[in-house]
Amino acid sequence: MSISEKVPALLRQAPFRRYWTGQSVSLIGDQISMLALPLAAVVILDADAAEMGWLTTAQLLPALLFSLAVGSWVDRRTSRRRIMIASDLARAVLVAALPVAYVLDVLSLTQLYCTAFALGSLTVLFDVCNATLFASLVPSTRYVEANSLINGSRSLAYVAGPSVGGFLVQALAAPLALAADALTYLISARCLTRIDPAEPPPATPAKGHFTAGLRWIARSPVMRATFAASSTIQFFNFILHTLFVLYATSELGLSAGVLGAVLAVGAVGGLAGAALAGRVTRRLGIGPAAILGLALFTVPLLLVPLADGPLLLVLALLFLAELGSSIGAMIADVAMGSLQTALIPDALRARVTGAYRMLTHGARPLGALTAGVLGSTLGLRPTLWIGTAGAVLCLLWVLPSPVPRIRELPTQPLEADGPTDPTDSIGPTDTAAPADSAGSADAVGPACPTGRAGDRREEGVRGDARKDVAGVGTGGETGAPPGPGPQAAPLADPQDERVPSPPTAS
């Protein structure tokens, strides 16, 4: 077999290869910014707990404010690709302005706040468009293969990104390290200019467009439970997420390089979770696997506020928290993402996904604000105890629901006009999602081929559990960043965010 034949078929096609290249490079830049932006606030501008809370809130608030409106607006556009290019260029300018301001000695928290809010708004716009572009670029029979390639890049970025970011911050200072992220936006924009897939025609707005997804979720006991669990994790995990950098540097005395290494361990946990997820769902069933994943995702994070004493002990506890939480996030992401994909009818998939972003991602800025208030009044460690212990409460939503009784995926999606208990319509579908479609940790949520807000027409699992799940590292998407890491955005659910990565439910 020749070398060219060993290359995945999609990567032998120039349009997808260019798209994939831009997304892969962007992921590295995202990881750098997730570390450099909060460190710039803490180290350069001496931000306290309240100011870190405001910074994180500014970055996350656009998902709550604009997701539904942007989705409706984008549906009526003829070229989503051009909107994505404009978003990339605008984000490159915004990020590049930060190191310039630092060199000129005019960098301020106000500029960081405004930049974070603008970046969050442009990321919502980019992600919504990205869902449609992905489906236009990739044949439906190749969704799983394409998702696997993109999420493979994401997993590698989680391994390399934090370490590279930590090195750049130590070598250049945090604001200057952000120049690398600005460059990745330009590369992404350049790659997008070199593809031109045929996009679907603009949609005609229908009455009740904004509420149809919300009303469908309210009628489904499984979706209510999984979305409530996801929102709970998002809220409490962002209490942890917002203060983790400040806690690690000020109370634990970790350097930027060591902090990057801690976060990189979580990426290894994500890879391990991806390898185990299929076996776990086949052995336990889809519902029990989801609950096991949620437990493994949240309980290890209790080690973060517990960390104290000699440096080796502190690092051991943080490594275990990051590793265990990331494994659980991936298992929960695969199981819950597969279940939600099977339940959501195609006619409502985009609107349910939009409602998901608003409901779960909307809890993030609330968690960040709460972190600022509690961190300033109670102190960092007590606040982190609240954030980690509160996330475990997500289990109280799913345990009494039909989720534990679901062993296999439903063979038919629920009706758009009135979902019922899915345990009444379980078919012989394998409990595990296809192994090659599992990809990441951004968290649990309605899976889609592009990862965030798209209409997935094939069975599979969402790919990014790290940026939107709550592990000790970055975010994805069970909805919250995996752990205490500095992945605040999406910025990553992340559950984060230039790469298609299905939303998460936790």
Side-chain angles (χ1 to χ4, degrees), residues 167-427:
F167 172 78
L168 290 175
V169 168
Q170 271 194 321
L172 303 175
L176 296 179
L178 290 168
D181 190 27
L183 178 61
T184 66
Y185 282 119
L186 295 177
I187 294 174
S188 175
R190 172 57 177 162
C191 291
L192 288 172
T193 62
R194 302 185 64 198
I195 63 175
D196 190 18
E199 300 183 35
T204 302
K207 185 178 180 180
H209 174 79
F210 290 112
T211 60
L214 290 171
R215 286 185 277 111
W216 187 87
I217 292 170
R219 292 194 298 264
S220 168
V222 171
M223 299 299 285
R224 283 200 311 268
T226 57
F227 276 40
S230 177
S231 297
T232 300
I233 288 184
Q234 293 277 9
F235 176 79
F236 286 105
N237 183 255
F238 264 83
I239 293 177
L240 171 65
H241 171 78
T242 300
L243 300 179
F244 178 70
V245 169
L246 183 61
Y247 169 74
T249 55
S250 63
E251 291 208 7
L252 301 182
L254 302 184
S255 66
V258 173
L259 181 58
V262 169
L263 301 180
V265 170
V268 177
L271 292 173
L276 293 172
R279 300 176 189 176
V280 172
T281 53
R282 283 191 294 269
R283 178 67 61 87
L284 301 181
I286 198 76
I291 293 174
L292 174 64
L294 291 175
L296 291 176
F297 173 56
T298 55
V299 173
L301 294 180
L302 293 168
L303 297 176
V304 174
L306 187 63
D308 200 4
L311 179 60
L312 289 180
L313 176 60
V314 168
L315 291 179
L317 291 175
L318 294 182
F319 285 152
L320 288 174
E322 178 80 18
L323 184 67
S325 180
S326 298
I327 292 174
M330 179 58 74
I331 294 173
D333 187 42
V334 169
M336 291 176 65
S338 299
L339 178 59
Q340 292 174 349
T341 301
L343 292 177
I344 300 172
D346 287 339
L348 286 178
R349 196 173 301 280
R351 279 170 285 179
V352 171
T353 301
Y356 158 82
R357 290 176 61 88
M358 185 187 71
L359 292 172
T360 59
H361 290 209
R364 294 178 173 184
L366 300 178
L369 283 174
T370 303
V373 173
L374 295 181
S376 299
T377 55
L378 301 180
L380 295 179
R381 197 180 297 269
T383 301
L384 293 186
W385 276 115
I386 293 173
T388 54
V392 181
L393 298 177
C394 71
L395 297 172
L396 298 182
W397 293 106
V398 291
L399 288 174
S401 75
V403 173
R405 305 196 303 272
I406 302 176
R407 301 289 174 173
E408 299 179 348
L409 290 178
T411 55
Q412 297 292 331
L414 300 180
E415 294 297 328
D417 59 351
T420 58
D421 188 335
T423 56
D424 296 334
S425 60
I426 297 296

Side-chain angles (χ1 to χ4, degrees), residues 45 51 55 58 98 106-117:
L45 301 174
E51 289 166 333
L55 178 63
L98 296 176
V106 294
L107 184 65
S108 65
L109 277 172
T110 299
Q111 182 180 2
L112 288 185
Y113 293 152
C114 294
T115 299
F117 185 83

Side-chain angles (χ1 to χ4, degrees), residues 4 7 31 50 67 103 284 307 357 382 410 422 483:
S4 62
V7 175
Q31 295 301 306
S67 289
V103 171
L284 301 181
R357 290 176 61 88

Side-chain angles (χ1 to χ4, degrees), residues 57-89:
T57 300
Q59 200 169 23
L60 302 176
L61 195 57
L64 174 62
L65 298 179
F66 305 136
S67 289
L68 290 179
V70 166
S72 177
W73 181 78
V74 166
D75 272 345
R76 299 196 294 271
R77 303 306 98 184
T78 57
S79 178
R80 290 79 169 180
R81 180 182 63 91
R82 293 177 183 174
I83 298 174
M84 293 169 66
I85 293 171
S87 298
D88 267 339
L89 295 176

